[in-house]
């Protein structure tokens, strides 16, 4: 059976730090035998949750857009790499809209619709040199993933990531990302 890993990039910077780290995790997963795919949220057409409740009486979100396909791929994937820079203490707006749509992955009893045992890796980048300052963004998202039944294997945090290519000088983070993908 072929295992599937998908990466979700919430950064508007194509080939920026988050995109590079997510791709590096995916490259490790590919070498470990996974089939891979990557979504760049900034290039997709979608809207946020409409609070209509449709997903509680049906097994999917009523919206039909690019995130609808992504949500199906999340459901089918064995591993998901979630990546976003930190903007004002939180993940990007692009990521938050997708995150809110993940609400459709739980039923009316707040039980996950996903099969248990999915693996997750979270990737963040921030300009500030103090990693502890924005740690809560990834930690809170890890809590959401646990509600959905994910096993969060790794949180990869990059500080001093203001320059779009700063990660290229961070062999330690690139090695950690590749190893995380290999270990999936």
């Amino acid at each position: 059976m072929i295992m599937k890993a998908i990466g979700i990039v919430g950064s508007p910077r194509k080939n920026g730090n988050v995109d590079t780290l997510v791709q590096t995790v995916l490259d490790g997963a590919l070498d470990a035998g996974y089939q891979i795919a990557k979504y760049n949220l900034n290039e997709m057409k979608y809207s946020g949750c409409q609070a209509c409740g449709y997903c509680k009486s049906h097994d999917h979100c009523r919206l039909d857009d690019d995130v609808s396909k992504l949500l199906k791929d999340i459901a089918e994937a064995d591993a998901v790499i979630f990546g976003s820079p930190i903007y004002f203490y939180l993940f990007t707006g692009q990521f938050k809209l997708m995150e809110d749509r993940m609400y459709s992955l739980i039923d009316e009893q707040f039980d996950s619709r996903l099969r248990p045992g999915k693996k997750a890796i979270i990737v963040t980048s921030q300009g500030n040199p103090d990693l502890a300052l924005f740690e809560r963004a990834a930690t809170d998202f890890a809590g959401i993933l646990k509600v959905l039944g994910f096993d969060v294997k790794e949180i990869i945090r990059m500080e001093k990531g203001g320059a779009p290519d700063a990660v290229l000088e961070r062999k330690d983070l690139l090695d950690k990302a590749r190893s995380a993908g290999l270990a999936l």
Side-chain angles (χ1 to χ4, degrees):
M1 182 171 100
I2 295 178
M3 304 288 274
K4 182 176 180 181
I6 63 170
I8 301 169
V9 178
S11 175
R13 288 181 174 169
K14 189 146 179 75
N15 301 315
N17 297 317
V18 168
D19 192 3
T20 299
L21 286 168
V22 169
Q23 186 61 54
T24 303
V25 174
L26 288 172
D27 290 345
L30 182 64
D31 287 347
Y34 281 79
Q35 174 187 11
I36 62 169
K38 185 169 70 172
Y39 290 86
N40 287 296
L41 295 175
N42 201 54
E43 297 173 358
M44 296 168 59
K45 302 290 183 212
Y46 60 99
S47 60
C49 176
Q50 300 299 298
C52 66
Y54 182 89
C55 65
K56 298 307 156 232
S57 60
H58 297 78
D59 66 354
H60 60 281
C61 176
R62 78 167 173 83
L63 298 176
D64 184 17
D65 57 18
D66 290 348
V67 164
S68 300
K69 180 184 181 328
L70 171 58
L71 293 171
K72 288 177 186 170
D73 272 2
I74 289 172
E76 294 171 3
D78 300 289
V80 183
I81 299 87
F82 297 93
S84 179
I86 305 293
Y87 289 1
F88 290 108
Y89 286 81
L90 301 169
F91 289 168
T92 63
Q94 294 92 325
F95 193 93
K96 182 64 175 138
L97 286 177
M98 182 273 310
E99 178 184 335
D100 286 349
R101 293 278 298 282
M102 290 173 66
Y103 181 66
S104 67
L105 300 174
I106 57 175
D107 66 19
E108 66 274 5
Q109 284 82 34
F110 291 90
D111 293 322
S112 178
R113 290 188 165 111
L114 301 176
R115 72 178 184 279
K118 288 181 180 291
K119 300 171 187 173
I121 295 172
I122 300 170
V123 173
T124 67
S125 175
Q126 64 189 54
N128 193 290
D130 182 1
L131 276 178
L133 190 59
F134 306 120
E135 185 176 338
R136 187 169 176 182
T139 303
D140 286 353
F141 185 65
I144 292 167
L145 294 178
K146 288 177 185 170
V147 166
L148 290 170
F150 279 91
D151 178 9
V152 179
K153 293 296 191 182
E154 186 84 51
I155 299 177
I156 301 168
R157 294 179 171 97
M158 179 182 178
E159 80 285 4
K160 299 180 189 175
D165 61 352
V167 74
L168 299 178
E169 302 297 320
R170 295 292 307 272
K171 184 178 179 339
D172 61 323
L173 286 177
L174 292 169
D175 288 347
K176 184 176 186 176
R178 182 164 182 76
S179 293
L182 282 167
L184 287 172

